[in-house]
Each structure stands twice: as structure tokens, then as C-alpha cells.
Amino acid sequence: MHATAPPARRTWPWIVGAAILIGALVIAGAVYFGIQAGTDTPTADPTTPAATSTATPSTTPVDAEPTGCLGGETRDAAMVLAAQQAAAHTSSGAVEYAAAFVRWLHQYPYPPSNDADSVAASGLAADVPTKDLREFFANNPNVSGGLVPDATEYYLSTIPGVWHIESSSTDEVVATIGTGLVVQGAMSPTLKGSITVTVRWENGEWKFAKSEGTRTTEDLFSIGEPFTNGC
């Protein structure tokens, strides 16, 4: 069974939104995580190793509503780079790449060193303060901001996710990406993430510039547009 998003994502009750700074490096930035009350939530079969969408992701660079799954369902460097190549030079393309980067960066176990090197080499904007993603992961940061215990398997899912464009110009887009958390193979009924990502168009591709926490999960999920598919 795969995780499914509820039909009325914007009316979920919320009890708290907490700002958590992730790691010591600017590359990780800040994330807002929220804890949600209620039972109208995404579900996943606890025996299923990963909660993923069955939809086939698009790889064609067209200006369509963001799917949240451009590049594919995996959370590896190949997915990030495929999304980067397929993302159109539009605000929707920028949102797609931002979502792909967020899905890759925030997970445990961490991406392998070769993946970190590949993404660092082609996925980061010229002015990112540090491009050494291998070293960043080697420092064992809790990239959930402590919401998920250390050494606990988890990743972010855009299946129940939303997106909101904070600002947009021809070559720079700031978008906030809302996600669910899949912890040890099951979609959490309470945990959501909000990450504001800046991407820049450089050398014919969108590239990650920075991430920060600017909106609580309650705020984001009340105004955000749902991804059309999600992973």
C-alpha cells in the first residue's frame, strides 16, 4: 500500500509549530516542523519499507503545476540531477527543483559520499557558502532538527505536501516546500515540515542557493498549493 494524501489538506487542525535550526552549516539552513492533532492524515502500511507514490514522474521540462516528484521517486543524486535537467526555466520548474533538493538533503541514513559529491559539483549555486556536502554529512547532523531521534530512519515526502512561492524573478525563485515525514517506513500522522528554499538559474539550470525557516507549518499548509502527485 502506498501513502495517500487526504482530500482536505488545508483544514487540518494544528497544535504547535516549532522553529528548529538544523546543523551548523548554511547549506542545511532552518526548517519549521509542526505537530498535528487529529486523525485525518496520510497512512502507510507499516509492513511497507517505503511510502511512495505510484505515479510515473514527468521528465519533460514543461511549465505545469509542480508534481513534487520531478526526477523520480528515489532520494539519490540521480534524482536530483534528473530534476535539475528536466526543470523548466519557470517558477514551477524552480519549485520542482527545490522540492527535489529538499527530498534529497533531509533524510537518514544520509546520502552516500559519492552522491554528496555529485550534487555539490553541479547542484549548488556559485555563492553557496560551503560546497562540501560530504563533510557536512560526515559531521552527523540531525537534519530533522531533533524532531526524529538520532540514527532513526526517516525521509520527507511530498505526497501530503504543498508549495508556496514567496518571490519570483526570471533567474531567482524563493519557494516554501511543505512535506510530511516518513519515519521508519510509515507516514507520520503528526509531523510536517516547512522549508523555504532559494534557487537560482545559472548556466542553464536551477541551482540550490540556500534554505531557511520562514513559515510555520500551520501557516504554510493553510495557504500552500498541493503537489499534483508527490513522492
Side-chain angles (χ1 to χ4, degrees):
M1 181 181 296
H2 65 275
T4 57
R9 280 176 274 189
R10 299 185 192 181
T11 59
W12 293 348
W14 299 81
I15 58 174
V16 67
I20 303 171
L21 181 65
I22 291 185
L25 298 179
V26 177
I27 190 67
V31 179
Y32 276 97
F33 284 101
I35 300 176
Q36 169 200 340
T39 58
D40 187 18
T41 57
T43 59
D45 188 334
T47 63
T48 302
T52 59
S53 168
T54 58
T56 301
S58 170
T59 57
T60 304
V62 296
D63 189 21
E65 289 295 299
T67 66
C69 200
L70 193 68
E73 296 185 351
T74 60
R75 293 172 297 280
D76 54 17
M79 179 276 295
V80 177
L81 301 180
Q84 184 180 44
Q85 293 171 7
H89 190 188
T90 63
S91 57
S92 292
V95 170
E96 288 278 37
Y97 179 65
F101 197 95
V102 161
R103 289 178 51 235
W104 174 80
L105 183 67
H106 295 275
Q107 61 175 307
Y108 187 88
Y110 308 124
S113 295
N114 288 344
D115 273 24
D117 292 344
S118 296
V119 172
S122 59
L124 303 183
D127 62 348
V128 170
T130 176
K131 292 182 179 291
D132 195 342
L133 294 178
R134 179 192 286 252
E135 181 181 4
F136 169 68
F137 290 122
N139 287 328
N140 295 315
N142 185 321
V143 286
S144 78
L147 196 65
V148 177
D150 289 349
T152 299
E153 180 181 349
Y154 89 98
Y155 62 88
L156 303 186
S157 171
T158 53
I159 291 174
V162 299
W163 56 275
H164 177 74
I165 294 177
E166 306 290 349
S167 64
S168 177
S169 64
T170 302
D171 293 334
E172 181 174 292
V173 173
V174 181
T176 303
I177 307 299
T179 62
L181 273 73
V182 179
V183 182
Q184 295 184 325
M187 185 77 75
S188 171
T190 58
L191 302 179
K192 301 290 177 287
S194 171
I195 309 172
T196 300
V197 180
T198 299
V199 295
R200 297 200 180 103
W201 187 261
E202 295 181 359
N203 301 319
E205 297 173 317
W206 289 110
K207 298 192 176 186
F208 174 91
K210 67 177 179 178
S211 63
E212 55 192 327
T214 62
R215 290 186 181 274
T216 64
T217 50
E218 180 178 12
D219 181 23
L220 175 60
F221 277 78
S222 70
I223 65 172
E225 295 289 334
F227 288 106
T228 60
N229 288 326
C231 286

